[in-house]
Amino acid sequence: MARRWLAVVRTPLGLTTGLLVTAVLLLAVVAPILWSDRAEVVDTDQILAAPSGEHWAGTDSLGRDIFFRALVASRLSLELALVATVIGVAAGLLLGAAPLLLGRRLGRLVTAGVNIAVAFPGLLLALFFAVVFGVGATGAVLAIGLAGAPSFARLVHTLVAGVAALDYVSAARVAGVGRFRVLLRHVLPNIAEPLVVNATISAGGALLAFAGLSFLGLGVQAPAYDWGRLLFEGVGMIYVNPAAALAPGLAVLLAGLAFNLFGEVVAKGLGVTTVGGIRLPAATPARSGAERRSEAAKGEHLAMAPSDLVLDVRDLRVSFPGPAGPIRPVRGVTFSVRHGEALGVVGESGSGKSLTALAVARLIEEPGRVEASRMEFRGADLRDGASAHRHLLGTSMAMVFQDPMTSFNPTRRIGGQLAEVAFHHQGMTRKQALARAVERLDAVRVPDPAKRATQYPHEFSGGMRQRAMIGMGVMGTPSLIIADEPTTALDVTVQQQVLDLLQSIRDEDDVALVLISHDVTVVGEVCDRVLVMYAGRIVEDLPADRLDGGARHPYTRALVAAVPDMDTDLDQPLAVVPGRPVDPADVPSGCAFAARCPLADARCRAEDPPLEPAGDGSQVACWHAGEPLGLDGSTGVLVEVRTP
Amino acid sequence: MSDLVFDDVTVRYGTARRPFTAVDGVSLVVPEGQVVGLVGESGSGKSTLARAAVGLAPVHSGSILLDGRPLPRRGRERPLQMVFQDPFSSLDPRMTIGESITEALPRDLSRGERRAEVARLLALVHLDPDAARTLPGRLSGGQRQRVALARALAGRPQVVIADEITSALDVSIQGAVLNLVRELQRELGLSMLFISHNLAVVRYVANHVAVMYQGRIVEQGPVSEVLVDPRHDYTRELLAAVPGARTTTAVRAGAPDTPGTPAALVKPRSTS
Ligand SMILES: Nc1ncnc2c1ncn2[C@@H]1O[C@H](COP(=O)(O)OP(=O)(O)OP(=O)(O)O)[C@@H](O)[C@H]1O
Ligand code: SF4
Ligand SMILES: [Mg+2]
């Protein structure tokens, strides 16, 4: 977390506003110590003087120096604003967390009350409270604090609801952990970050609001003074000395903006930065019409390129900078996909399946690096320039992602999001696009598609959301569909329908499919050919119908034996691949699978086996390909079977 | 006799004016020491039924009883525990593994007893007791799911509900977690409601199976009967859709498309 804040502060705007906030805080601390005397001194000779070398902003009706008064006032102004913010946050926390603590019914009442309060303009509330609490600093602090509470309560409520819906909170409650403890231990620590950011923003707001109240004479009373009070006094003599109003006004503006902007920058920075791993972009970014037209032209050009191969990739490498040298999750992958072919890619998580797909779709973002000695899509070189090929997504190359939660925008209707693709890439009118969206939703068996199209992502069940995601992938007329774990979260019947859907699309238009999955059975059923990946390499390339029984690589065989099917012997444990996957930052020399392989010997640990043809159309990278393996009957660990 | 009994349970979401019935009059028994598999398509109400049992979803009508008594909703004693689907969201990212498990332990233990109990539970799920000090971020999905199992066992439950606990896991780890579930269930004599959309997985761990469709249970019985001789059309559809079923019978053996036949189920599997 600290690193993320640091990254934000490193941006120019973050740095500027951060420094400004620090400067304002520093000023508030030192100004009264250094300049109190100069600000208080009454000089009857200099009453209402205009700005001069001696008094930069002139003097007030008692001859006091306005510039120094403005500096010294920073302490009280900030103090009041911060106290008000603390009050607002505290009250907001109480109200916002109330639904969690009080239970459904009372909680709903509180939420309703908060929603009404939010609808009132803040300043009006502040004025109301100022009248209730009486004129003066205390009243004003309470007024501004409480006026800020409803919006904080709403924020807290939303954040709490988000965290409370997560399984670990449910798990704690099922374990009998009390509500209050759940709030303290699980919820608050996990919402602290956005709260702090928003408190910073609202501190800026409180500063301005205070100036407002004091300016109206409802805030700080003489002889104490804050910026608002100075402004109030300055405006009285604005025709004599405009600087008297200008100096405190500028101070308020600068300090208020500093807090506000800093908060905004941090919020934005934390919002888009993710820790660890790459962020999948939401389907397709919207683009200008001109860009779209030029891309359409390119698309036509691509369509004419003659070749039997849809996709031809040689020696693909993907790397990311890491703390101790580059991390290489994909280390030299070579494969091709023919027209209409269905190619499966299997392997455990972290083996580089998704990155291979993302690299092909040109979706790997800085600082990731993609290298390949060849990468052609329908004869066009994919390597020259990522942006030039972005249009492929949505027209001739479709990508269906793994996680439907992050692939949809939670604030927009499903139908609209699907239609977007057709509208931007296929030149349809909005109406046509929406009709196509409904038709595609129907095709992926979303029940009552016309009604469902008007719903938001959260109104879909997990399975349905994933179906809609696939519907989005086939909005266009792609010649290659890359589907990354498209059916992982689906139950079997829907999975079957979705696979059938992909199948029918392939049959109709000779569309090629790259199906990435960790489910060997799915891949085995749908695909013609299967690539098995381990630690960023292809370790076996074989016809799908040879997976069960015909695989040669020990890893492939373990994968197949680890999944129960309807024939699995119930008295035997399932196969277990012992040990952990290879860390891409630290790939061992020799065969990457050696540490977990029952057949490994000295040669395996020293030399990395190359992927070589093994006859009958398959390729395998293993020194001991096809040697017999057995299953330990009590643990499920695969063992070498010694032949006498 | 600690049977978990769902008696005519209905769960509704939404407003009074536009109610949505997610679970519709479900009656189901999880007998002591048995594993009942619950299968059904997404949105059929499996998770909702499970959440109702542990008090995370409101029961509109009907009752859920353990040993003939309603389940305690307050206090520390929770004889029913649940393991969730997503191992990446079911552990608090800011708490160590040890803290997460400790939280679910009975309160009356001393500090030393608690530490020993955490170590015992971690060993039970085949994790290194040193893992107690690590944060979940450093564990793989399979390891997290084992921690979640350990946490569920910490409350010394009589019944454990497992909601799709392997569907978010890699196949290479799935086998290990399923082996563990079978082992724990046998050793501790737990009753389990095992929710999955994968019939092959249910067949592997459960004795009984209940098929849920649109909020209702349409068929239930011993695994060997329901999966061999399904009576409801939806169950047949489910069986036909098991991946591999079509390949094994149709493509590989060149036989006509007759998935889910008894012959296919009893065929022994060879591990070469
Ligand atoms: N909080 C909620 N508000 C409204 N409807 C809901 C809510 N939670 C679930 N539903 C609806 O209840 C139905 C059953 O949902 P549930 O999560 O139990 O399905 P499931 O069988 O577990 O599906 P999956 O396999 O996708 O997880 C779905 O149609 C879903 O849209
Ligand atoms: S090369 Fe050696 S270590 Fe690698 S998979 Fe083959 S037998 Fe195992
Ligand atoms: Mg579910």
Side-chain angles (χ1 to χ4, degrees), chain A residues 37-67:
Chain A
D37 300 342
R38 297 188 65 171
E40 306 289 339
V41 78
V42 177
D43 183 352
T44 38
D45 292 343
Q46 292 276 350
I47 287 172
L48 297 180
S52 65
E54 198 184 339
H55 301 291
W56 290 357
T59 60
D60 66 3
S61 55
L62 289 176
R64 293 174 296 198
D65 185 289
I66 287 174
F67 176 71

Side-chain angles (χ1 to χ4, degrees), chain A residues 459-464 489, chain B residues 13 20 22 41-48 85 164:
Chain A
E459 292 178 80
F460 278 48
S461 81
M464 241 148 17
Chain B
Y13 286 116
F20 172 79
E41 66 183 344
S42 73
S44 64
K46 307 182 297 290
S47 301
T48 305
Q85 172 169 2
E164 303 271 13

Side-chain angles (χ1 to χ4, degrees), chain A residues 15 68 83 106 117-118 135 228 258 279 318 322 326 419 427 479 494 532 552 591:
Chain A
L15 190 68
F68 284 110
V83 172
L106 274 178
V118 168
V135 174
R279 191 179 176 82
V318 180
S479 56
V494 184
V532 182
R552 291 190 176 83
C591 174

Side-chain angles (χ1 to χ4, degrees), chain B residues 52-74:
Chain B
V54 294
L56 293 172
V59 175
H60 178 76
S61 65
S63 55
I64 304 173
L65 305 172
L66 184 67
D67 294 338
R69 283 195 304 270
L71 289 151
R73 288 277 177 265
R74 299 196 171 276

Side-chain angles (χ1 to χ4, degrees), chain A residues 174-232:
Chain A
V174 171
V177 177
R179 288 171 195 259
F180 200 67
R181 236 178 117 74
V182 164
L183 183 70
L184 282 188
R185 295 202 62 181
H186 294 287
V187 179
L188 289 187
N190 285 303
I191 65 171
E193 201 169 87
L195 269 190
V196 169
V197 170
N198 278 284
T200 313
I201 296 177
S202 88
L207 211 62
L208 297 177
F210 243 103
L213 276 195
S214 288
F215 177 71
L216 294 173
L218 293 171
V220 174
Q221 302 298 315
Y225 56 98
D226 70 340
W227 285 329
R229 181 84 207 165
L230 291 182
L231 200 63
F232 173 62

Side-chain angles (χ1 to χ4, degrees), chain A residues 1 104 165-179 181 185-187 189-190 193 347-349 353 461-464 467 488-497 500 518-522 524-525 544-545 547-549 555 557 559-577 580 596 628-631 635-636, chain B residues 18 40-43 46 51 54-58 74-76 78 80-82 84-86 89-95 99-100 103-104 107 138-140 143 151 167-176 178-179 182 186 197-201 203-205 227 234 237-248 251-252 264-269 271-272:
Chain A
M1 179 174 144
R104 234 175 273 271
L166 290 178
D167 287 343
Y168 60 81
V169 173
S170 301
R173 289 179 55 187
V174 171
V177 177
R179 288 171 195 259
R181 236 178 117 74
R185 295 202 62 181
H186 294 287
V187 179
N190 285 303
E193 201 169 87
E348 63 199 338
S349 68
K353 307 184 295 285
S461 81
M464 241 148 17
R467 279 180 258 178
T488 304
L490 303 184
D491 59 85
V492 272
T493 42
V494 184
Q495 170 171 299
Q496 197 58 56
Q497 290 156 10
D500 286 346
H518 66 256
D519 195 336
V520 198
T521 39
V522 167
E525 176 169 320
D545 56 5
L547 259 181
D548 197 2
Y555 179 63
R557 288 149 76 190
L559 272 189
V560 173
V563 217
D565 61 24
M566 297 311 272
D567 306 338
T568 304
D569 183 351
L570 295 180
D571 298 324
Q572 291 272 327
L574 297 169
V576 168
V577 187
R580 297 197 59 172
R596 309 168 77 182
L629 279 173
L631 187 76
T635 59
Chain B
R18 284 179 48 200
E41 66 183 344
S42 73
K46 307 182 297 290
R51 297 177 78 85
V54 294
L56 293 172
R74 299 196 171 276
R76 296 291 296 185
R78 300 292 174 102
L80 188 58
Q81 286 294 330
M82 181 157 165
F84 295 84
Q85 172 169 2
D86 184 359
S89 76
S90 67
L91 295 173
D92 190 328
R94 285 166 204 267
M95 276 166 76
E99 285 168 345
S100 280
E103 197 176 55
R107 274 288 169 77
R138 308 204 15 209
L139 300 184
S140 73
Q143 287 173 318
R151 177 180 55 193
S167 60
L169 297 180
D170 256 356
V171 257
S172 54
I173 335 172
Q174 224 180 63
L178 288 177
N179 287 347
R182 292 215 314 179
R186 277 180 200 158
H197 59 248
N198 188 330
L199 272 188
V201 167
R203 172 182 169 274
Y204 190 67
V205 298
L227 299 192
Y234 178 68
E237 204 185 314
L238 265 181
L239 273 168
V242 170
R246 291 202 298 202
T247 347
T248 347
V251 183
R252 247 168 246 163
L265 285 168
V266 294
K267 192 191 99 189
R269 177 196 177 85
T271 33
S272 52

